[in-house]
Amino acid sequence: MLYYYANSGHKIGLERVRRGAALLKRLEADGVETQLLVNDFRAGLVAKDLGVKEYVTIETVQDIDAIAEAGNSIIIDSDEDDHGRLVKYCSDFKNVWRFAHDPSDVSVHGEILFRPGCEDESCIEALIIDDEYFEKTKKEERVLFFLSDADYDKIILSNEAFFKAFDMELLLGNYFFIKYEEELAKIFTVMHEPEEYEYLVKNSSHIVTASSQTALEAKASGAKVIYIQLSNHDLYPVELLKSYGIDVLNGFNVELVTKYLKKEASVTQNTIKRFDDNKIQSVL
């Protein structure tokens, strides 16, 4: 059994759940028995919508061994402090993989790291996109904005002037509350429900987002993508996004977004590729 723990929640969103679902669907299709571990009920429901068959909720990264048994394999997709639990995991489980926290991160107890741009046998490629996004579709002309599945600090509302400068359509997040949606309706003329996520990311011509997972999914689908960097906790390095022709800017800048929306698609030699799971399957 392979367990994938994806840190999730109303403060951090569902980027890791989307990445985990993409990987588990691929492995399950190849006959691997898997189980997704998330932090809340809502994340589990979204995972099932993404195609994951089963999920279990746990409190934190420290509780993985409350579900997984000795001899199983685990993947840790989280930047939480494990408080020394990792050494026990590496002792008890057959295989332990975890996503690197930053470019300087190294293996601590013999676990294998997922790294963006991995080029050798010491790591695994961290850029994982659901195969659905590689199916090219006819684009509908729209500028879609998706902040994230969460907006705990009401970032969208506090940047009302920025959004009123554009004719963007808003894709709501799974953790948005009804009263917040009512406030956002005063800013956006068109709002889409979270259940439309996959369709809109695949079919929109232009996508502006603060989620690097969404940015890469949209780029794989052939959209013109603008990534707004809001923190230093990006799921993927911004230099990686730029290498795939995704325009990156810091914060909500009307002038730069206007410029990027009008310019031709960036020419790049790098193309997002489908994830190769052979390194994982070969040791299970």
Side-chain angles (χ1 to χ4, degrees):
M1 172 72 84
L2 170 67
Y3 290 88
Y4 189 115
Y5 171 66
N7 189 212
S8 57
H10 68 280
K11 289 186 179 181
I12 58 176
L14 298 170
E15 283 190 305
R16 291 181 171 86
V17 173
R18 297 186 191 283
R19 178 161 65 180
L23 176 55
L24 295 188
K25 284 169 61 179
R26 172 74 68 79
L27 292 170
E28 287 170 358
D30 292 334
V32 177
E33 188 178 5
T34 67
Q35 179 82 73
L36 178 66
L37 305 177
V38 294
N39 300 116
D40 69 292
F41 179 70
R42 183 60 181 165
L45 293 180
V46 172
K48 295 201 79 168
D49 287 341
L50 293 171
V52 174
K53 295 179 181 179
E54 300 291 340
Y55 71 91
V56 175
T57 59
I58 61 176
E59 288 292 325
T60 72
V61 67
Q62 299 177 63
D63 301 309
I64 293 176
D65 57 353
I67 304 297
E69 299 178 351
N72 292 152
S73 296
I74 64 171
I75 296 174
I76 302 172
D77 194 350
S78 171
D79 60 0
E80 297 166 280
D81 185 348
D82 65 85
H83 295 283
R85 203 71 170 173
L86 183 60
V87 64
K88 183 178 187 299
Y89 292 165
C90 288
S91 173
D92 291 351
F93 299 125
K94 179 181 178 181
N95 299 288
V96 176
W97 296 278
R98 69 175 176 87
F99 284 80
H101 298 163
D102 55 58
S104 65
D105 197 2
V106 295
S107 175
V108 180
H109 302 292
E111 75 278 14
I112 301 298
L113 296 185
F114 282 83
R115 288 188 183 281
C118 173
E119 296 180 347
D120 58 49
E121 294 300 317
S122 68
C123 56
I124 296 177
E125 175 58 60
L127 203 171
I128 305 172
I129 304 296
D130 194 306
D131 289 343
E132 296 286 336
Y133 295 104
F134 291 93
E135 299 174 2
K136 301 302 180 184
T137 59
K138 184 178 180 180
K139 300 299 180 187
E140 299 171 11
E141 284 296 323
R142 73 164 61 85
V143 179
L144 181 72
F145 179 76
F146 177 70
L147 177 80
S148 166
D149 276 286
D151 191 7
Y152 185 77
D153 297 318
K154 294 190 175 182
I155 293 171
I156 298 176
L157 200 61
S158 62
N159 287 277
E160 180 177 351
F162 169 85
F163 293 106
K164 286 189 172 180
F166 301 98
D167 185 21
M168 292 185 183
E169 299 181 15
L170 175 65
L171 175 56
L172 296 166
N174 279 281
Y175 291 104
F176 285 21
F177 298 104
I178 296 296
K179 287 186 177 180
Y180 188 43
E181 292 178 11
E182 292 173 353
E183 294 179 279
L184 295 176
K186 300 173 184 177
I187 302 174
F188 296 88
T189 56
V190 179
M191 299 201 306
H192 299 277
E193 294 300 320
E195 291 76 15
E196 300 178 75
Y197 178 94
E198 183 179 313
Y199 174 83
L200 290 168
V201 171
K202 288 174 63 176
N203 291 277
S204 297
S205 59
H206 297 72
I207 294 181
V208 182
T209 181
S211 164
S212 53
Q213 181 70 22
T214 301
L216 289 163
E217 291 169 351
K219 192 64 180 181
S221 296
K224 187 172 181 181
V225 185
I226 298 173
Y227 176 68
I228 298 180
Q229 186 179 24
L230 299 179
S231 72
N232 295 320
H233 302 289
D234 307 284
L235 194 67
Y236 298 102
V238 293
E239 291 305 319
L240 179 72
L241 305 188
K242 291 177 182 178
S243 74
Y244 291 114
I246 295 172
D247 292 310
V248 177
L249 67 152
N250 291 316
F252 295 91
N253 186 307
V254 172
E255 183 178 342
L256 282 178
V257 170
T258 301
K259 173 185 174 182
Y260 290 152
L261 288 175
K262 290 180 178 179
K263 81 171 190 177
E264 295 296 321
S266 302
V267 177
T268 175
Q269 294 181 341
N270 292 339
T271 302
I272 299 174
K273 298 178 181 178
R274 294 174 186 259
F275 180 74
D276 182 354
D277 62 359
N278 285 333
K279 286 185 181 179
I280 297 175
Q281 288 214 49
S282 64
V283 297
L284 289 175

